Coordinates of all heavy atoms in Angstrom, one line a residue:
S93 N -2.7 19.6 -15.3 CA -4.1 19.3 -15.7 C -4.3 17.8 -16.0 O -3.4 17.2 -16.6 CB -4.5 20.1 -16.9 OG -4.4 21.5 -16.7
C94 N -5.4 17.2 -15.6 CA -5.7 15.8 -15.9 C -6.6 15.8 -17.1 O -7.4 16.8 -17.4 CB -6.3 15.1 -14.8 SG -7.8 15.8 -14.0
A95 N -6.6 14.7 -17.9 CA -7.3 14.7 -19.1 C -7.7 13.2 -19.4 O -7.0 12.3 -18.9 CB -6.5 15.3 -20.3
A96 N -8.7 13.0 -20.2 CA -9.2 11.7 -20.6 C -9.6 11.6 -22.0 O -10.0 12.6 -22.6 CB -10.4 11.3 -19.7
A97 N -9.4 10.4 -22.6 CA -9.8 10.2 -24.0 C -10.1 8.7 -24.2 O -9.6 7.9 -23.5 CB -8.7 10.6 -24.9
R98 N -10.9 8.5 -25.2 CA -11.2 7.1 -25.5 C -10.3 6.6 -26.7 O -9.9 7.4 -27.5 CB -12.7 6.9 -26.0 CG -13.7 7.0 -24.9 CD -15.1 6.7 -25.4 NE -16.1 6.8 -24.3 CZ -16.4 5.8 -23.5 NH1 -15.8 4.6 -23.6 NH2 -17.4 5.9 -22.6
G99 N -10.0 5.3 -26.7 CA -9.4 4.8 -27.9 C -7.9 5.1 -28.2 O -7.5 5.0 -29.3
L100 N -7.2 5.6 -27.2 CA -5.8 6.0 -27.5 C -4.9 4.7 -27.6 O -5.2 3.7 -27.0 CB -5.3 6.9 -26.5 CG -5.9 8.3 -26.4 CD1 -5.2 9.2 -25.4 CD2 -6.0 9.0 -27.7
I101 N -3.9 4.8 -28.4 CA -2.9 3.8 -28.5 C -1.5 4.3 -28.1 O -1.4 5.5 -27.8 CB -2.9 3.2 -29.9 CG1 -2.5 4.3 -30.9 CG2 -4.2 2.5 -30.2 CD1 -2.4 3.8 -32.4
A102 N -0.6 3.4 -28.0 CA 0.7 3.8 -27.5 C 1.3 5.0 -28.2 O 2.0 5.9 -27.7 CB 1.7 2.7 -27.5
S103 N 1.1 5.0 -29.5 CA 1.7 6.1 -30.4 C 1.0 7.4 -30.2 O 1.5 8.4 -30.7 CB 1.7 5.6 -31.8 OG 0.5 5.4 -32.3
T104 N -0.2 7.5 -29.6 CA -0.9 8.7 -29.5 C -1.2 9.2 -28.1 O -1.6 10.3 -27.9 CB -2.3 8.6 -30.2 OG1 -3.0 7.6 -29.6 CG2 -2.1 8.3 -31.7
I105 N -0.8 8.4 -27.1 CA -1.2 8.7 -25.8 C -0.5 9.9 -25.2 O -1.0 10.5 -24.2 CB -1.0 7.5 -24.8 CG1 -1.9 7.6 -23.6 CG2 0.4 7.2 -24.5 CD1 -2.0 6.3 -22.8
K106 N 0.6 10.3 -25.8 CA 1.3 11.5 -25.3 C 0.9 12.8 -26.0 O 1.5 13.8 -25.7 CB 2.8 11.2 -25.4 CG 3.3 10.0 -24.6 CD 4.8 9.9 -24.7 CE 5.3 8.7 -23.9 NZ 6.8 8.5 -24.0
L107 N 0.0 12.7 -26.9 CA -0.3 13.9 -27.7 C -1.5 14.6 -27.1 O -2.6 14.1 -26.9 CB -0.7 13.4 -29.1 CG 0.4 12.6 -29.8 CD1 -0.1 12.2 -31.2 CD2 1.7 13.4 -29.9
V108 N -1.3 15.9 -26.7 CA -2.3 16.7 -26.0 C -3.6 16.8 -26.8 O -4.7 16.8 -26.2 CB -1.7 18.0 -25.6 CG1 -1.3 18.8 -26.9 CG2 -2.6 18.8 -24.8
D109 N -3.5 16.9 -28.1 CA -4.7 17.2 -28.9 C -5.6 15.9 -29.1 O -6.6 16.0 -29.7 CB -4.3 17.8 -30.3 CG -3.4 16.9 -31.1 OD1 -3.0 15.8 -30.6 OD2 -3.2 17.3 -32.3
K110 N -5.1 14.8 -28.6 CA -5.9 13.6 -28.6 C -6.9 13.4 -27.5 O -7.8 12.6 -27.5 CB -5.0 12.3 -28.7 CG -4.1 12.3 -29.9 CD -5.0 12.3 -31.2 CE -4.0 12.1 -32.4 NZ -4.8 12.2 -33.7
Y111 N -6.8 14.3 -26.5 CA -7.6 14.2 -25.3 C -8.8 15.1 -25.4 O -8.7 16.3 -25.8 CB -6.8 14.6 -24.0 CG -5.8 13.5 -23.7 CD1 -4.6 13.4 -24.4 CD2 -6.1 12.6 -22.6 CE1 -3.7 12.4 -24.1 CE2 -5.1 11.6 -22.3 CZ -4.0 11.5 -23.0 OH -3.1 10.5 -22.7
D112 N -10.0 14.5 -25.1 CA -11.2 15.3 -25.3 C -11.8 15.9 -24.0 O -12.6 16.8 -24.1 CB -12.3 14.3 -25.8 CG -11.9 13.6 -27.1 OD1 -11.5 14.4 -28.0 OD2 -11.9 12.4 -27.2
Y113 N -11.4 15.3 -22.9 CA -12.0 15.8 -21.6 C -10.9 16.3 -20.7 O -9.9 15.6 -20.5 CB -12.8 14.6 -20.9 CG -13.8 14.0 -21.8 CD1 -13.5 12.8 -22.5 CD2 -15.0 14.5 -22.0 CE1 -14.4 12.2 -23.4 CE2 -16.0 14.0 -22.8 CZ -15.6 12.8 -23.6 OH -16.5 12.2 -24.4
W114 N -11.1 17.5 -20.1 CA -10.1 18.1 -19.3 C -10.6 18.5 -17.9 O -11.7 19.1 -17.9 CB -9.5 19.3 -20.0 CG -8.7 18.9 -21.2 CD1 -9.1 18.6 -22.5 CD2 -7.2 18.7 -21.2 NE1 -8.0 18.3 -23.3 CE2 -6.9 18.3 -22.5 CE3 -6.2 18.8 -20.3 CZ2 -5.6 18.1 -22.9 CZ3 -4.9 18.6 -20.6 CH2 -4.6 18.2 -21.9
G115 N -9.8 18.3 -16.9 CA -10.1 18.9 -15.6 C -9.5 20.3 -15.5 O -8.7 20.7 -16.4
Q116 N -9.9 21.0 -14.5 CA -9.3 22.3 -14.3 C -7.8 22.1 -13.8 O -7.5 21.1 -13.3 CB -10.0 23.2 -13.3 CG -9.7 22.9 -11.8 CD -10.3 21.6 -11.3 OE1 -10.8 20.8 -12.0 NE2 -10.2 21.5 -10.0
G117 N -7.0 23.1 -14.1 CA -5.6 22.9 -13.7 C -5.4 23.2 -12.3 O -6.1 23.9 -11.6

Side-chain angles (χ1 to χ4, degrees):
S93 301
C94 56
R98 288 187 179 274
L100 297 185
I101 58 177
S103 62
T104 60
I105 200 166
K106 298 181 181 181
L107 303 178
V108 62
D109 60 355
K110 297 298 184 183
Y111 288 77
D112 302 308
Y113 308 96
W114 289 85
Q116 84 282 13

